[in-house]
Amino acid sequence: MIVRPRGWHLVDAHITVDGEPISGSIMDFGLFFFHNAKYSTSQGLGPFFYLPKMEHYKEAELWNDIFGVAQDALEIPRGTIKATVLIETLPISYQLDEVLYALREHSAGLNCGRWDYMFSTIKRLRNQKQHVLPDRQLVTMKVPFMTNYVKQLIKICHKRGVHAMGGMAATIPIKGDDAKNAVALKAVELDKLREVNAGHDGTWIAHPGLLDTAMGVFQKHMPTPNQLFRQFDDVTITESDLIATKIEEVWVVFRLTT
C-alpha cells in the first residue's frame, strides 16, 4: 500500500495538538507510520508514501526532515521510507532536480499528475492572453506544454536513477455496453502505449478493470523491469517550453438553433 497524505495547505478539521491545529499532511503520515512502519518494513512492503500538491522544493525538504525524525524516533534506519512525488503543479515542474535532491535518501521517483497539472497551468497563466487555452477536452497529452512536461520529468528521473511514472487513466469500465467499453479500453491502451514509448517506467489507473489493458501494454513494450537505461541527453526542455500553450489546430463546433 502506498499512502497519500493530504497536501501541505490543509489542516485537520477535528484534531488539535496542545490546542493548536495540526497539519493534515503530518497527521496522515504520523498515524500511518507510527502504527504500521515496523510491520510493513518486516514484510518488505514499505513504508511507501505518495506526496501530492507541492509547489516548491522546500516542501520536499520539509518532508525529508519529517521522514528523518520519524525514522529516528522509531529506531528505523534512515532511507527505509520511500516516497514518490506527484508533479501536478506548474511551479514544481521547474524544480524537479531540486525535489529529487531534497528527498535523495527517500526518493522513489516522480509521477505525472496530468489532470491537476493542466489545471495548475490554466490557473497560473489565466491572466495572460497569450496562454489562454481552448476547451479543456481539446487539451490532450499531445499539446506542446504537456508533452514537454512529460519529456522533462522522464529525462530528469532517469538521469538521477529513479522511476518516472505515467499519468492516471481516469476511464471507468462501461458496464452493459460492450461497444462503448471497447472504445474506452482502446483509448486507455493508446494512452499507455504513448507513455511506455515516451520512456515511463510504469503507470497507474483509476479502476482495477483497466489493469489487464495497462499491464498488457507495458509488458509487451517494456520487457525489462524499468527503462532507466534510456537516457535522454539529446532532449532539451527550456523554461518557455513548459508554458508552450499555443495549440495549432483547434476545431470549434457551433450549434445553430432556430
Side-chain angles (χ1 to χ4, degrees):
M1 180 165 62
I2 301 177
V3 175
R4 172 176 167 152
R6 281 169 282 184
W8 283 120
H9 60 298
L10 298 173
V11 296
D12 194 88
H14 305 288
I15 298 174
T16 59
V17 177
D18 296 329
E20 297 290 333
I22 183 172
S23 160
S25 307
I26 298 175
M27 185 74 186
D28 296 343
F29 166 79
L31 278 176
F32 177 82
F33 189 79
F34 180 80
H35 290 290
N36 298 284
K38 287 191 174 181
Y39 176 78
S40 59
T41 299
S42 70
Q43 300 298 307
L45 300 173
F48 304 136
F49 293 92
Y50 187 52
L51 307 179
K53 305 302 179 186
M54 289 191 228
E55 295 192 330
H56 199 281
Y57 78 90
K58 288 289 185 180
E59 298 174 61
E61 287 185 348
L62 179 56
W63 270 121
N64 199 66
D65 290 344
I66 290 171
F67 291 164
V69 170
Q71 288 166 129
D72 292 348
L74 268 63
E75 299 182 342
I76 293 173
R78 288 201 174 197
T80 299
I81 292 173
K82 297 302 178 186
T84 298
V85 176
L86 181 54
I87 303 301
E88 57 181 342
T89 68
L90 179 60
I92 203 72
S93 68
Y94 291 89
Q95 305 171 55
L96 303 184
D97 276 313
E98 291 83 352
V99 168
L100 292 178
Y101 182 77
L103 285 163
R104 58 195 177 279
E105 282 187 301
H106 304 107
S107 181
L110 305 176
N111 173 219
C112 286
R114 57 192 182 188
W115 305 114
D116 282 350
Y117 182 83
M118 190 185 301
F119 170 74
S120 175
T121 302
I122 293 169
K123 186 175 180 180
R124 286 277 173 171
L125 305 178
R126 66 186 183 275
N127 293 327
Q128 301 181 38
K129 293 181 179 179
Q130 68 272 30
H131 294 301
V132 173
L133 290 169
D135 186 282
R136 197 167 177 176
Q137 292 183 348
L138 298 174
V139 184
T140 68
M141 292 303 296
K142 296 180 180 180
V143 302
F145 78 98
M146 295 300 290
T147 298
N148 293 334
Y149 149 68
V150 168
K151 289 179 179 178
Q152 179 80 328
L153 186 143
I154 295 172
K155 176 183 178 178
I156 289 177
C157 281
H158 287 190
K159 179 181 178 181
R160 303 302 180 189
V162 295
H163 295 150
M165 302 302 293
M168 180 184 71
T171 301
I172 302 297
I174 302 170
K175 295 182 179 180
D177 193 323
D178 291 342
K180 288 184 177 180
N181 191 55
V183 172
L185 291 179
K186 185 62 178 181
V188 172
E189 179 184 349
L190 293 175
D191 181 52
K192 299 311 167 188
L193 181 61
R194 175 192 55 78
E195 288 184 336
V196 72
N197 286 338
H200 282 294
D201 304 292
T203 189
W204 71 291
I205 53 179
H207 191 282
L210 306 179
L211 180 61
D212 289 343
T213 300
M215 284 288 289
V217 172
F218 269 81
Q219 287 175 342
K220 179 178 179 179
H221 297 277
M222 191 182 77
T224 51
N226 55 63
Q227 301 194 77
L228 294 179
F229 59 89
R230 292 182 64 183
Q231 298 290 305
F232 296 90
D233 297 331
D234 58 332
V235 173
T236 300
I237 303 298
T238 65
E239 293 179 0
S240 59
D241 289 335
L242 291 174
I243 52 172
T245 54
K246 184 177 180 181
I247 298 176
E248 296 293 342
E249 294 184 8
V250 176
W251 291 89
V252 179
V253 178
F254 293 95
R255 181 181 179 184
L256 300 178
T257 60
T258 57

